[in-house]
């Protein structure tokens, strides 16, 4: 009985230790994302929200590749969502080379803004989607096969 109890304690302690290590690594990655000044997808680099409006607290970050589409997203909290959206979308349109894919109305909350531009990789496109509400926003950058044509 003592051997079974000792084994169970070792297993439980090991599981807790692994969970703590994974949590610390995840927390570090999310904290770092709030300070990053660029979003990178392959050879494409886009200035981040932080680079334009100042450091914001990142609460989640993720990357994936599905059906040939690379994606990176960062979720931020902010007390100045509307001001952040105005500054960042103006930057993306005026200096970042992005074009609106549909009309935007930053006075609506919650809402979504979507923009696109050609990737540095021929035949690919970058799509920036920003979903925002009163408490923050999620910036999603996707890269896949496509072209951008203006109407």
């Amino acid at each position: 009985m003592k051997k079974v109890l000792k084994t169970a304690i070792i297993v439980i302690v090991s599981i807790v230790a692994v969970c703590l290590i994974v949590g610390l690594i995840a927390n570090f990655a999310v904290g770092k994302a709030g300070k990053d000044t660029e979003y990178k997808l392959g050879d494409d680099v886009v200035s981040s929200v932080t680079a334009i409006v100042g450091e914001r607290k990142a609460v989640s970050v993720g990357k994936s590749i599905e059906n040939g589409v690379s994606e990176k997203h960062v979720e931020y909290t902010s007390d100045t969502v509307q001001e952040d959206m105005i500054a960042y979308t103006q930057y993306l349109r005026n200096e970042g080379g992005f074009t609106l894919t549909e009309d935007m109305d930053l006075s609506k909350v919650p809402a979504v803004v979507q923009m696109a531009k050609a990737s540095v990789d021929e035949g690919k496109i970058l799509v920036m989607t920003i979903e925002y509400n009163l408490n923050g926003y999620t910036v999603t950058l996707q890269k896949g096969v496509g072209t951008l044509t203006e109407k």
Side-chain angles (χ1 to χ4, degrees), residues 1-7:
M1 187 67 169
K2 287 183 181 183
K3 189 172 185 174
V4 171
L5 184 60
K6 197 183 257 187
T7 303

Side-chain angles (χ1 to χ4, degrees), residues 72-85:
K72 177 175 185 158
H73 75 269
V74 182
E75 181 181 354
Y76 299 92
T77 58
S78 175
D79 294 329
T80 57
V81 171
Q82 212 158 18
E83 292 89 348
D84 292 359
M85 290 299 94

Side-chain angles (χ1 to χ4, degrees), residues 81 105-113 130-137:
V81 171
D105 181 355
L106 295 176
S107 67
K108 289 183 182 179
V109 178
V112 176
V113 174
I130 307 170
E131 297 177 55
Y132 62 93
N133 59 40
L134 292 173
N135 303 312
Y137 38 87

Side-chain angles (χ1 to χ4, degrees), residues 43 69 71 91 94 99 104 106 111 113:
D43 292 332
V69 176
E71 178 179 298
Y91 164 78
N94 298 335
T99 300
M104 71 176 185
L106 295 176
V113 174

Side-chain angles (χ1 to χ4, degrees), residues 17-33 61:
V18 168
C19 289
L20 285 173
I21 291 169
V22 168
L24 287 171
I25 291 170
N27 191 33
F28 174 75
V30 169
K32 183 181 174 309
V61 62

Side-chain angles (χ1 to χ4, degrees), residues 27-67:
N27 191 33
F28 174 75
V30 169
K32 183 181 174 309
K35 296 175 183 165
D36 284 347
T37 58
E38 300 174 327
Y39 305 124
K40 295 179 184 177
L41 276 181
D43 292 332
D44 288 288
V45 178
V46 177
S47 292
S48 72
V49 167
T50 298
I52 306 307
V53 302
E55 189 174 319
R56 297 295 182 265
K57 182 179 180 182
V59 293
S60 74
V61 62
K63 286 173 77 173
S64 66
I65 299 175
E66 189 173 317
N67 297 325

